[in-house]
Amino acid sequence: MTRRTLARTAAAAAAALLTAACSTAVGAPGAQHPGPEAPGRLTHSLPDDPVRMALPATGAETRWTQGLNVFGQQVARTAAAACARENGFRLTEEVPLAYIPFGDLPDLDFLGRHGFGQSSEVPTVATEPAPARSGGTAEIRRCRAAGATAAEQVTKVYQPLQQAWFGALATAAKRDSAAARALRDLPGCLTEQGYAVTDQKAFFALADRRLMNAPAADLSRVNSELGHAYATCMRPVEAIREPARRHLRERFLTDHAEEIRDLRSALVPALHHAEKRYGVPLAFPAP
């Protein structure tokens, strides 16, 4: 994970995260900060209910959702690359895939341990050597479309319902007065942690600067301390939000009972089918 990637991740989090609050000030003068952590590991274990993977209600559940998102992208890229090889050309290299956290459902355990830029590494997919010839515009477009079609066989099982769920979450968040009240304690909490800021946006701007400017030898420690401070100050508000989101999901499942039955019966078989067909490993970040 490069310095710029760490900083960009912090900046992205600033745009995505909604609320935070304060708890015990472990970053106060004389307190011990956690040591730097290595990137998170991977797990291949599926949840007991596919609903938790497609429609997350907690930060921890979003690890499955992140893996689901990356899996669809890997299927698209693998199918597109196979199409290109069959037609005697290679596709241009793309930006490496990464597990992207959900700012609105912060995974505090992962964030507190690994900071803002140390997610698990996405597993590589074994592929055959690519031809030397570059593809033409029409050829590339055709194979990219083939990749998108392959991924859609998986994503169509859950994405429409998932989009409705995230819409319900966003609406509920705007009405969460208890979380809004807890947010008022954020500046004081972060100040006690050693980060004198006026609000959440200012904290993420500060985090971005520190990650960009920290000496190489200190980068991992700075990242770890920033993540630990934010996770500490976020826990009280998540203690309010998580039960509310779980309750909201129960209502959502009732309101979409038929679609939920289809999701539960179809998602895991679709994932396993794509795994076998494209040789793409289904994996999820884990602390």
Side-chain angles (χ1 to χ4, degrees):
M1 185 69 64
T2 66
R3 177 190 306 273
R4 187 165 296 278
T5 301
L6 282 168
R8 285 177 177 173
T9 303
L17 288 167
L18 293 179
T19 55
C22 176
S23 65
T24 303
V26 298
Q32 295 296 315
H33 285 290
E37 287 277 352
R41 59 186 179 86
L42 291 171
T43 180
H44 301 278
S45 299
L46 289 166
D48 53 359
D49 184 351
V51 162
R52 299 174 65 198
M53 177 166 47
L55 314 177
T58 72
E61 288 179 341
T62 66
R63 298 171 204 161
W64 283 308
T65 317
Q66 292 174 54
L68 190 61
N69 290 345
V70 165
F71 182 76
Q73 295 173 67
Q74 286 184 311
V75 166
R77 292 188 178 191
T78 302
C83 169
R85 283 195 303 274
E86 291 168 1
N87 288 276
F89 69 93
R90 61 178 172 81
L91 294 173
T92 56
E93 291 188 5
E94 297 181 275
V95 176
L97 294 174
Y99 296 114
I100 306 300
F102 284 71
D104 296 347
L105 289 85
D107 184 355
L108 300 185
D109 289 339
F110 201 102
L111 180 63
R113 183 172 296 178
H114 300 288
F116 293 103
Q118 289 290 90
S119 188
S120 307
E121 297 293 335
V122 173
T124 57
V125 178
T127 58
E128 299 175 14
R133 180 175 74 86
S134 298
T137 301
E139 291 178 312
I140 292 172
R141 185 184 303 114
R142 183 170 62 252
C143 285
R144 295 287 188 208
T149 298
E152 187 183 6
Q153 299 308 304
V154 175
T155 60
K156 70 180 182 181
V157 175
Y158 69 90
Q159 273 193 349
L161 198 59
Q162 186 182 77
Q163 289 170 356
W165 168 238
F166 286 147
L169 279 179
T171 298
K174 294 176 182 177
R175 300 170 179 171
D176 193 344
S177 57
R181 288 193 296 271
L183 180 60
R184 299 185 191 122
D185 291 331
L186 176 63
C189 176
L190 290 173
T191 297
E192 291 175 352
Q193 294 287 330
Y195 304 99
V197 294
T198 56
D199 55 26
Q200 185 173 228
K201 182 178 180 181
F203 172 76
F204 280 102
L206 179 149
D208 190 36
R209 291 194 303 273
R210 292 200 177 183
L211 289 171
M212 284 297 295
N213 297 322
D218 292 338
L219 183 60
S220 181
R221 175 187 57 79
V222 170
N223 176 51
S224 178
E225 292 178 356
L226 286 163
H228 178 74
Y230 186 79
T232 295
C233 291
M234 191 68 172
R235 291 196 184 278
V237 74
E238 281 300 285
I240 295 169
R241 293 167 69 186
E242 282 196 6
R245 288 194 298 252
R246 290 179 189 274
H247 182 67
L248 178 66
R249 185 167 64 186
E250 288 304 313
R251 296 205 313 268
F252 187 88
L253 299 186
T254 299
D255 293 342
H256 298 80
E258 184 175 352
E259 296 153 281
I260 294 298
R261 283 195 297 270
D262 292 342
L263 172 70
R264 283 174 167 151
S265 65
L267 180 54
V268 173
L271 294 172
H272 288 330
H273 175 75
E275 276 188 295
K276 293 177 182 178
R277 180 171 182 180
Y278 299 104
V280 174
L282 180 60
F284 312 97

